[in-house]
Amino acid sequence: MRNTNPTAVEVQFEPLLAERVDAVVQIEQRAYAHPWNRTNFLDALQSGYQAQVLSADGILLGYFIAMQGVDEVHLLNITVAPEFQRQGWSRVMLDALTVWARGRAAQWLWLEVRVGNARALQVYEAQGYAHVGVRKDYYPAGHGKREDAVVMGLRLNP
């Protein structure tokens, strides 16, 4: 049943399919100075990674891609379209990822985030992720420079 509240939005998760990769790449290019390319996304799909898009009334709000290991899940990419940022959609996607990972008996969720991405660090910390290390020179930063990544983990089944 459709919600009659005009300010409420119905959202849904769907698997990211190859035919939607171009739309995802467009968001990726608008969201990041060093975006994933089309091949990165297609490789993730070919590898069978968990790839979900979050949409509302056919409008793509964001997406995430995660890789499952033996008893862990590694978040590879999570992105909210720039025009929908700061509305809580990253938390919605992180919650969905957590539910999915727990359903596969994962003990940990792992991710990397640029040291300079204070907003993302705050979101992850608010979701319970802890700093566990630093990967030196992990991300490209332009002009031949590199940026460190903070490695963060969330214990799922203590």
Side-chain angles (χ1 to χ4, degrees), residues 46-63:
Q46 181 68 30
S47 296
Y49 295 164
Q50 174 68 351
Q52 294 285 309
V53 295
L54 177 65
S55 60
D57 294 327
I59 298 169
L60 190 58
L61 304 175
Y63 49 88

Side-chain angles (χ1 to χ4, degrees), residues 4-158:
T4 57
N5 180 347
T7 61
V9 177
E10 284 189 29
V11 298
Q12 65 182 14
F13 282 98
E14 303 172 276
L16 171 57
L17 303 175
E19 53 267 16
R20 292 194 81 178
V21 166
D22 288 338
V24 165
V25 169
Q26 288 177 4
I27 290 171
E28 184 83 1
Q29 291 173 339
R30 288 187 292 121
Y32 300 113
H34 302 281
W36 277 25
N37 62 40
R38 189 173 197 280
T39 301
N40 296 135
F41 285 102
L42 292 173
D43 286 349
L45 296 179
Q46 181 68 30
S47 296
Y49 295 164
Q50 174 68 351
Q52 294 285 309
V53 295
L54 177 65
S55 60
D57 294 327
I59 298 169
L60 190 58
L61 304 175
Y63 49 88
F64 69 83
I65 297 176
M67 175 179 65
Q68 183 176 356
V70 174
D71 63 350
E72 63 187 28
V73 169
H74 189 141
L75 178 60
L76 302 174
N77 188 323
I78 183 168
T79 304
V80 175
E83 61 272 24
F84 299 111
Q85 290 178 2
R86 298 180 187 257
Q87 298 176 20
W89 298 120
S90 60
R91 288 179 177 90
V92 170
M93 290 191 290
L94 287 169
D95 286 344
L97 175 62
T98 300
V99 168
W100 178 81
R102 281 190 171 127
R104 276 138 191 86
Q107 300 296 306
W108 286 94
L109 265 169
W110 300 103
L111 60 86
E112 291 90 12
V113 60
R114 289 177 182 272
V115 295
N117 192 342
R119 190 169 41 147
L121 286 163
Q122 289 174 345
V123 169
Y124 297 134
E125 289 166 355
Q127 293 289 108
Y129 286 80
H131 295 237
V132 295
V134 173
R135 295 191 198 279
K136 292 287 188 189
D137 299 327
Y138 188 74
Y139 288 110
H143 306 317
K145 297 185 179 180
R146 308 286 297 174
E147 184 175 2
D148 294 348
V150 176
V151 179
M152 301 184 82
L154 176 68
R155 180 89 167 131
L156 295 177
N157 300 308

